[in-house]
Amino acid sequence: MDKKRLKRALGVAISLAVLVIGISYNSYIKMHTFTLSGDERVKSEQIQPVVGSVKVTGTADTDVVFTDIESGETYVIGYITSGSGSTIKLERGKWYKVEGVGELTVRPVNIRIE
């Protein structure tokens, strides 16, 4: 009887842990999702990847160019269409200028406005 209670309690504990982790992850991603808007092609905000990759979606068909602030090196997502997106690998902790048409939603990133 004790083994059944232990298994049941362990099952409940694992389920709750998975639920809490899922909710925490969603909150974390929402906190690090930003929409860069404006009519200009080069956005005035700078982004910093939280992890090694950044997902980009947009409201217009566009190429998206990330320029490393320190080195000037560029990284390009060849083409995204309105409503769809793509992921690009960028170095964590570096700051990048973002270039693209329309509203661009990027995640997970930190943002710096100059």
Side-chain angles (χ1 to χ4, degrees), residues 1-2 4 16 23 27 29 36 56 68 75:
M1 187 132 152
D2 286 330
K4 283 185 178 182
L16 286 174
I23 291 170
S27 296
I29 291 298
L36 311 175
V56 182
D68 185 325
Y75 304 88

Side-chain angles (χ1 to χ4, degrees), residues 16-79:
L16 286 174
V18 168
L19 181 64
V20 168
I21 290 170
I23 291 170
S24 297
Y25 179 75
N26 273 346
S27 296
Y28 180 79
I29 291 298
K30 283 182 182 178
M31 209 168 50
H32 288 89
T33 298
F34 297 96
T35 299
L36 311 175
S37 60
D39 294 334
E40 71 278 358
R41 183 163 173 79
V42 177
K43 310 302 179 192
S44 57
E45 301 89 349
Q46 296 175 6
I47 60 105
Q48 180 185 56
V50 174
V51 293
S53 62
V54 174
K55 180 170 175 75
V56 182
T57 56
T59 59
D61 297 352
T62 185
D63 293 340
V64 182
V65 179
F66 296 88
T67 305
D68 185 325
I69 298 300
E70 292 177 12
S71 70
E73 191 173 350
T74 59
Y75 304 88
V76 179
I77 294 177
Y79 191 75

